[in-house]
Amino acid sequence: MEQQYREMFDEVRSSSRLREEVQNMTQLEQKPTRRRLPKKVLLAAAVLVVLGSTALAAVGAPGTLRDWFAQEWEETTGTSMDTEQLALIDELTRPVGVSDTQNGTTVTIDSVTVGNGTAWLLLKVSGAYTENTDLRYHFDSIDLTLDPDPDQVGTPGGYGFEFPYAGVSQDGTLTMLVRYTIDLAGQSSLLDEPRQVTLLLDDLVCNDMTESGDEDVILAEGHWTLTFPLEPGAVGTVLALDEIQVPAMKLETRETKTIPLRDVKISATDITYVQSAEDQEWNPLKCVLVLEDGSQVNWSSGSSRFRDEEHTEWSSVWYWQVPVDLSRVTALRFGDVEIPLN
């Protein structure tokens, strides 16, 4: 994908369980985690949030999720997305078409691509403001709720947002891609039962981003509420590995060693695995999927939590940059260690 610039706008949220645990910090011994927390909030529980996506604003931004994934795939792998990959995108994508108009500005959720713990929502915005391709567009506040709640793990977890791009599509419509991710510790999926999804947006803003201190300018004030049903779908192929040995690093000291990862599950959109509590501070080196043509797809962002109330199983989830047809994957690689998958 030809890029004029890349910048990141991120919003992160903590679950009610996480807020409750922070309030009870005096009764709990806490170790640093990589759990997602609200932006600009400093909590007693130290966290590390790993965010990997960026925001693209460009003339001719793709107007469909299929087109965006095809362009992102070509940029990521250096190859065109083939028929099997496109078929996977189609299988995971659902039309939505829900709109809300506030103060003359209409926001429409065009469609959504859904995986186990991540969803890409394509937004189209029209209104009485002037669109400028030199500006970066986003919303001042964003949140999403799911009913019923897919998080069935009895320990604190979190969710977050990224804006992979915001730009003017070929038909002149301001188009935004929002990526929602949630840490379900490999115990449930966004696809396992019907849910009501509600997306909450406040104030359309822009920023010319020429200097680090540039402030957002409000283009359209409003509070948009968009609700739509999310029907269950096929989770698709899941590759499972009982235990693997991977290189890991302790961030504080930069030491490295080999650690075991258990209950490894690889889906088209993410990878989950479990470490022992003793290895909590050891972070596996960068993970990629190796495809049969030699190209690779990296993980982009992720988070971690305990998935048992006894705090013995340290679970992590990482999301692939784009959905991947696992029938084309030959290996999983952590750092320089490659693990065959066929």
Side-chain angles (χ1 to χ4, degrees), residues 49-295:
V49 177
V50 183
L51 298 170
S53 291
T54 52
L56 167 68
V59 176
T64 68
L65 281 166
R66 198 177 200 260
D67 290 344
W68 183 82
F69 282 120
Q71 290 194 17
E72 188 72 3
W73 181 271
E74 185 169 353
E75 179 181 309
T76 299
T77 67
T79 64
S80 297
M81 183 174 278
D82 60 26
T83 302
E84 289 78 7
Q85 285 292 155
L86 289 171
L88 173 66
I89 300 302
D90 292 341
E91 181 180 344
L92 298 176
T93 301
R94 296 145 172 74
V96 178
V98 172
S99 299
D100 187 19
T101 301
Q102 299 292 324
N103 300 321
T105 298
T106 299
V107 179
T108 301
I109 302 178
D110 176 84
S111 49
V112 58
T113 300
V114 188
N116 284 331
T118 187
W120 292 264
L121 295 95
L122 188 67
L123 308 183
K124 298 194 173 183
V125 186
S126 61
Y129 57 88
T130 301
E131 295 170 352
N132 186 332
T133 58
D134 293 329
L135 299 178
R136 285 69 162 175
Y137 299 91
H138 61 113
F139 288 93
D140 186 54
S141 176
I142 181 171
D143 203 1
L144 184 146
T145 62
L146 293 155
D147 184 21
D149 185 353
D151 188 356
Q152 301 301 312
V153 181
T155 60
Y159 59 99
F161 301 91
E162 298 158 331
F163 286 80
Y165 82 71
V168 180
S169 64
Q170 294 176 354
D171 65 1
T173 303
L174 176 58
T175 305
M176 296 185 185
L177 184 63
V178 177
R179 189 184 193 192
Y180 168 81
T181 55
I182 183 169
D183 185 353
L184 300 174
Q187 302 300 291
S188 58
S189 168
L190 297 177
L191 297 167
D192 57 12
E193 66 176 300
R195 304 183 195 281
Q196 282 291 110
V197 181
T198 300
L199 181 67
L200 304 170
L201 303 167
D202 286 318
D203 293 347
L204 177 65
V205 300
C206 67
N207 192 315
D208 62 19
M209 302 295 289
T210 57
E211 298 180 7
S212 60
D214 286 343
E215 295 184 357
D216 290 334
V217 175
I218 296 178
L219 289 174
E221 293 184 342
H223 176 76
W224 293 267
T225 301
L226 301 113
T227 299
F228 64 95
L230 183 63
E231 296 300 321
V235 174
T237 301
V238 176
L239 304 178
L241 303 171
D242 291 335
E243 183 174 305
I244 57 177
Q245 302 287 325
V246 304
M249 177 181 291
K250 183 181 289 187
L251 296 181
E252 292 81 357
T253 63
R254 313 302 290 180
E255 298 173 82
T256 60
K257 73 170 186 176
T258 299
I259 65 170
L261 302 182
R262 298 181 291 103
D263 196 15
V264 181
K265 295 179 182 177
I266 305 166
S267 77
T269 54
D270 56 48
I271 178 173
T272 60
Y273 55 80
V274 174
Q275 299 167 233
S276 67
E278 292 75 18
D279 285 335
Q280 179 185 347
E281 295 180 353
W282 293 90
N283 298 276
L285 300 187
K286 182 180 180 179
C287 177
V288 303
L289 289 176
V290 181
L291 308 182
E292 57 190 7
D293 63 0
S295 59

